[in-house]
Amino acid sequence: MATDPTEQLVRLFAEESRVRAFAAVALGAGSAEQVARAAGLSPKETATALRRLREQGVVTAADDGELGVAYGLFKQYARSAAQAENDSGAAESPASGDERTDMVVRTFVRGGRLVRLPAQWARKKLVLEYIADRTFEPGVEYPERTVNDKLRAWCEDSDDIDHVTLRRYLVDLHHLHRSEGVYRRPGGETESAGIA
């Protein structure tokens, strides 16, 4: 079986009879006969499904034979998934070499999404610079629609800011230059004078 808990569960519950048997146990069926009745499965289908569910540890049988859901296993999987997400977030964390900058960015950007913009202007500028660095290549021209799509992705988890406001800040701080609906991040090539 796969080692990733999510993949394990997807494979386990890819079979309808297992899903139905598991649901019956979760709803209180305590024996194979009760599971068969509640799930509408034949005795053979029930036995096969319950065997597989017990092998994978999602259904347990008490000493008296009473079936139950292994809720502890699901909690363990949830904790593992949360830890993996935190670890991946740490891997994606900024590494500018400046501890203060990295701390500020980690506070306001999580999982590649902007949680909110800092109220303090100095911190806001650090976060906006981080977003510009991670989103736009210097010297590459982007149509407004592409800029909006890229910035909208940063704002998905934030009720605090939208992509239009974010774009305005990036232009105002000269992280993006706009000319006739085309945006370009400074650098890479010599910037034309007067673009703003």
Side-chain angles (χ1 to χ4, degrees):
M1 190 96 186
T3 57
D4 175 42
T6 305
E7 189 177 334
Q8 286 179 342
L9 291 176
V10 168
R11 288 183 181 186
L12 181 63
F13 291 120
E15 175 63 43
E16 182 183 353
S17 62
R18 290 183 214 142
V19 174
R20 292 168 67 178
F22 179 81
V25 173
L27 292 172
S31 68
E33 295 78 27
Q34 291 173 347
V35 170
R37 218 175 10 258
L41 298 172
S42 72
K44 182 178 179 181
E45 289 174 312
T46 302
T48 303
L50 288 174
R51 180 178 45 77
R52 187 78 164 116
L53 292 169
R54 282 194 304 264
E55 285 174 357
Q56 296 307 311
V58 298
V59 169
T60 60
D63 291 338
D64 63 357
E66 183 80 10
L67 298 172
V69 173
Y71 291 107
L73 180 66
F74 288 97
K75 288 179 184 176
Q76 177 186 339
Y77 283 176
R79 281 192 295 272
S80 296
Q83 183 61 46
E85 186 175 320
N86 286 340
D87 292 347
S88 99
E92 295 173 6
S93 288
S96 68
D98 178 14
E99 189 175 323
R100 180 184 176 278
T101 299
D102 293 348
M103 183 197 68
V104 168
V105 172
R106 275 194 304 270
T107 301
F108 297 98
V109 176
R110 293 198 190 112
R113 302 285 186 261
L114 179 64
V115 178
R116 68 182 195 285
L117 273 178
Q120 189 180 59
W121 187 244
R123 291 179 177 189
K124 188 179 293 188
K125 289 182 356 185
L126 290 173
V127 170
L128 291 166
E129 182 176 7
Y130 175 82
I131 290 171
D133 287 347
R134 298 301 181 280
T135 309
F136 304 103
E137 292 292 323
V140 175
E141 293 185 344
Y142 298 93
E144 186 166 307
R145 182 180 194 152
T146 301
V147 171
N148 288 341
D149 290 343
K150 287 176 170 286
L151 295 179
R152 198 175 283 120
W154 283 98
C155 301
E156 282 179 1
D157 296 335
S158 176
D159 296 329
D160 182 50
I161 191 165
D162 60 24
H163 69 282
V164 175
T165 305
L166 191 55
R167 185 185 70 212
R168 179 80 252 155
Y169 277 129
L170 292 175
V171 170
D172 288 348
L173 290 172
H174 305 288
H175 293 303
L176 286 178
H177 290 178
R178 178 182 60 213
S179 177
E180 298 176 10
V182 176
Y183 293 77
R184 183 175 55 238
R185 184 150 176 262
E189 36 182 86
T190 306
E191 292 297 309
S192 303
I195 296 177

